[in-house]
Amino acid sequence: MNQHRSPEFSPHDAPLREDVRRLGTLVGHMLAEQISPAFLEEVERIRTAAIERRVEEAPLDELGSLLTGLDTDKAESLARAFATYFQAVNIAERIHRIRRRRDYQREGGAPQPESLLDVLMRLKAQGVEAGELIEWLERLQVEPVFTAHPTEAVRRSLLEKEQSIVRALVENFDPTRTPQERKEDDDRIFMALSAGWQTAEASSVSPTVQDEHHHVGFYLANPIYRIVPALYESLADALQTVYGVAVPIPRLLSFATWVGGDMDGNPNVGAATIANSLSTQRAHVLEHYIEDIAGLARLLSQTEDRVHVGNDLANRLLDYRTRFPEAAAKVRPRHADMPYRSLLTIIGARLQATLEDDHPEGYTCADELLEDLRLIAVSLIDHHGLHAGAYAVRRLIWRVRTFGFHLARLDVRQDSRVHDDALGQLLKDEEWSSRDAQERAERLRPYAGGQDSLPGSDDATVTSLHDVFATLREARARYGADSLGLYIISMARSAADVLAVLALARYGGLSKEGRVPLDVAPLFETVDDLTNAPATLRALLDDPVYRDHLASRGNRQWVMLGYSDSGKDGGTLASRWGLQRAQVELLEVAADADIRLSFFHGRGGSASRGGSRITPALMSSPRGSVAGVLRVTEQGEVIHRKYGIRALALRNLEQTVGAVLRASLRPRTHEAREDTWRDRMSLLAARSREHYRAFVDREGFVDYFRSATPIDVIERMTLGSRPARRRSMRGVQDLRAIPWVFAWTQCRSILPGWYGLGTALEFGAAQYGEQAMSEMAHDWPFFANMLDDVSMVLAKSDLGIAEAFSQLAGPLHEPFFGLIREEFERTRRWLMQLKRNDSLLQNAPRLATSIDLRNPYVDPMSLLQVDLLRRWREGGESDDALLAALVACVNGVSQGLQNTG
């Protein structure tokens, strides 16, 4: 059957087709103007050939012949041209999501699926009463964590140009716009496209940690900051509509970041970046508050002769005039009869003073600001001001409750081996890291519990860690406890690894009233680590010193689950099942110890790194594993896709909160067959892992991987501040998960997302029968969701193009690619067979259309990349012009496939 169809739009998606056509036309005009009409004709010739290759199954060589031997300038221009088309398609799709949301709201019929209104209606139908729902709202804690793993490094100036295009398209929703206004919209889009074309996609200089902070800050301090109040208002409206109740809604959303705190494998991160990140975030959020306060002061112009104000507010204004004369001097004499404006002017001046450390008129914490804002809100409501400004004040209150004076909590992460290196120096024990975990734990207890103090050392690793914990102590005092998140231990494999952090924290002076005020989260990353995680947690909770520490933290233990490294280690099925099983067993350990366990999910953007739609992912998770809490990483292009546009950021957060509510209040019902399914899945996962490891452990694999993928180009790109690999690459274990997935995605096989699964499915069908396997695929949410994710990966793959990359490996091509082709076809065949589908995306037509829209542009860039890669390597990887063209191809394919890492 021909899988390479042309895009098919449903009637509801006709406006999407129009936006794609409109933007495509403007991109074409821009290319003709910026380069030449002949260049545009060549682009169209290549695009047409790419479509014919898909629709008519023309030989790949026909398309490849148009992309071979081009001079580097033309090759780079072609890559950038196709990438610009991707940008247009991506924007059009995002705009269409906004349009669909507005259609639901305008039509007033059934609520949009996965909206908060839809979720509350579902819960009520399932028997959830208002009291039960409100009780759970008090426990809800949703915290997206933005990490410094950019698989696309887009300049802020280009992000701002994209925002301009978005605004022009959104304004076009208005059917009353005149032809002249529509032309002005097109002119704005054309200007943004043209200026973007004349701007390099990324700097040639590797980003610093500070650059990464500014990149993440763009999303936190712009779209997200603006839409947070709308989320709470949406929830309040849904509560009123479904349950007829109006209650104060507790804070249920916060944000965190790893930027500046993720030391694992990054020598550029340490005490200085921790201090700088916290300081910069504080300045960003205070500046936003100052701007909002100024806006409120302009709005709340009520005068004393027209309306009364609350006594508490009047007294606060009088008190502030006395206590803060410098701030009070900012009030203009002609505004003296405007109590709200006068108080807000003083508040703004106090916030300005807060930007300066230890200024006597500054606020000491966000709670003080909240108290002032609540006084204003109460006074307005009590004096007929509900619709004269109270709503605007309430929106700022929601922002302050969410972002505090810190914007986002800062997590810190370090490898357990670094801790061991430091302790070996401090304890003058060269064999420390090789000693038995129980022996290390025994020796660490007095230091972790504070009975003894570690001796000093001037070793560089020791000094660095001392400075980190000293900085955390100072940050806690200066910015408050809410400014700091978790301390995460990579490669945590024993209770000793956690006790090591407590001992080193005390060494750095991070203690308060004899306790270490730090939540320590072991990170279980590999399949073996996940298997051993329950025993590790049990040993930790059995440790008296640690249990004493945990009691001081409210008897709540955090555990981070690593989706990336477990997928790289054992393949997608073994990883997914290892994570699922580990959560069940860890919850049992926590229940036995009578402590609360919360999971931090280290997901990436691609399916092979845990990427998945949030509602199916949470509804298929183990019962009790959510329990009102979702802490999950947001990385790379996922941040841009989810949070780059305000309306979509709001939609994403609504879906997330709704999914947490559903998975917490009414998790999936017990299924009697699940015990049998679990037993089968353990065998399937083992068979899948065995087949996957046989491939990546095969002799010559490292050489094949480095030849058949553009990993050498990726390692030269200026994507992030962290090195792409941990050490010289002896095997898969030495490469970081992000470039591992990124490289396989670029060559279009996306191998980590499916290899080994087909063998497991075939084994299962032979062992248990195809009907039994099909039952599992349809009736078990865990298995069904995983198969849907893999179907998407296979649909984005192109084995013909992957073979062209593989041929770059010379004699290694046949022995390795033969295995890839065989497993790919096996996986594809069994997926469709078990799901009873005729195509991979039969049940996801919009996704199928999205992929089909991109293929005519992705395919040429991939083939161009193959030719450029061959020429670059033949020249000893020294031609910078060829490298620049290759980087343009990599960036373009990343935009086209969207979830690269």
Side-chain angles (χ1 to χ4, degrees), residues 178-215:
T178 66
Q180 177 61 32
E181 288 172 329
R182 184 178 171 88
K183 180 182 180 302
E184 290 170 358
D185 291 339
D186 283 351
D187 289 344
R188 286 160 54 201
I189 295 171
F190 192 78
M191 179 173 65
L193 290 170
S194 301
W197 180 263
Q198 295 178 357
T199 305
E201 289 77 8
S203 171
S204 59
V205 178
S206 293
T208 64
V209 175
Q210 185 70 4
D211 292 330
E212 291 173 338
H213 176 79
H214 284 303
H215 183 76

Side-chain angles (χ1 to χ4, degrees), residues 95-124:
I95 293 301
H96 193 53
R97 286 186 62 198
I98 299 172
R99 183 185 290 113
R100 285 165 48 206
R101 178 180 174 85
R102 290 165 62 96
D103 287 344
Y104 274 107
Q105 293 170 338
R106 184 171 52 249
E107 290 165 4
Q112 185 176 16
E114 300 182 6
S115 65
L116 287 171
L117 180 59
D118 174 61
V119 167
L120 264 57
M121 290 174 69
R122 284 174 179 268
L123 290 173
K124 186 175 183 180

Side-chain angles (χ1 to χ4, degrees), residues 706 709-717 869 872-873 877:
R706 296 198 66 81
T709 74
I711 184 62
D712 42 353
V713 176
I714 292 168
E715 289 172 344
R716 298 275 287 272
M717 291 174 68
L869 193 55
W872 182 61
R873 288 172 177 170
E877 302 186 354

Side-chain angles (χ1 to χ4, degrees), residues 114 116 119 140-144 231 252-253 614-615 618 626 630-632 634 642-643 649-663:
E114 300 182 6
L116 287 171
V119 167
L140 222 63
Q141 182 181 352
V142 176
E143 189 168 53
L231 174 73
L252 47 83
L253 179 68
I614 189 65
T615 299
L618 293 191
V626 179
L630 179 68
R631 199 174 202 264
V632 61
E634 302 281 28
K642 287 184 176 181
Y643 302 103
L650 175 59
R651 168 69 170 156
N652 173 69
L653 290 174
E654 280 194 2
Q655 288 176 305
T656 302
V657 170
V660 173
L661 282 170
R662 286 186 61 192

Side-chain angles (χ1 to χ4, degrees), residues 163 180 235 251 288 303 385 420 446 455 619 660 688 729 823 857:
Q163 299 269 342
Q180 177 61 32
L235 180 56
R251 187 184 82 165
H288 274 69
T303 54
D420 282 342
M619 294 307 294
V660 173
S688 175
M729 189 175 174
E823 183 67 8
Y857 308 109

Side-chain angles (χ1 to χ4, degrees), residues 405-579:
F405 278 1
H406 57 276
L407 185 63
R409 297 201 300 160
L410 182 66
D411 282 0
V412 177
R413 181 171 74 140
Q414 184 55 282
D415 192 312
S416 63
R417 292 169 292 191
V418 175
H419 300 148
D420 282 342
D421 289 345
L423 286 165
Q425 291 293 327
L426 286 165
L427 298 171
K428 297 179 172 53
D429 185 347
E430 294 181 0
E431 305 298 322
W432 175 258
S433 60
S434 61
R435 294 194 184 281
D436 177 77
Q438 192 170 345
E439 181 184 352
R440 283 185 286 128
E442 187 68 36
R443 194 168 175 190
L444 284 171
R445 284 191 186 103
Y447 304 115
Q451 289 78 33
D452 290 338
S453 299
L454 287 165
S457 170
D458 58 3
D459 174 77
T461 301
V462 172
T463 301
S464 174
L465 280 171
H466 174 277
D467 292 348
V468 163
F469 287 109
T471 299
L472 293 178
R473 180 194 68 229
E474 293 165 7
R476 197 176 190 281
R478 178 174 297 177
Y479 304 122
D482 277 350
S483 65
L484 300 179
L486 305 180
Y487 191 102
I488 298 144
I489 312 170
S490 301
M491 298 297 173
R493 288 169 179 158
S494 70
D497 291 333
V498 181
L499 294 176
V501 172
L502 298 183
L504 290 166
R506 289 185 183 277
Y507 176 72
L510 181 58
S511 65
K512 183 178 181 182
E513 299 175 356
R515 306 287 188 177
V516 175
L518 197 63
D519 290 317
V520 184
L523 165 56
F524 300 115
E525 300 178 79
T526 68
V527 174
D528 287 341
D529 289 346
L530 290 167
T531 301
N532 297 326
T536 302
L537 181 62
R538 185 175 289 106
L540 183 62
L541 297 179
D542 285 344
D543 189 282
V545 171
Y546 188 73
R547 280 309 295 266
D548 186 55
H549 165 75
L550 201 61
S552 74
R553 305 302 298 165
N555 277 318
R556 182 190 201 176
Q557 177 64 50
W558 283 94
V559 164
M560 184 171 181
L561 302 171
Y563 290 68
S564 303
D565 279 289
S566 59
K568 177 169 66 75
D569 172 53
T572 189
L573 180 58
S575 170
R576 290 281 188 107
W577 181 238
L579 288 156

Side-chain angles (χ1 to χ4, degrees), residues 728-747:
S728 60
M729 189 175 174
R730 299 161 298 176
V732 172
Q733 69 276 11
D734 293 328
L735 188 73
R736 296 193 183 282
I738 292 171
W740 166 254
V741 175
F742 199 4
W744 285 113
T745 303
Q746 284 291 317
C747 75

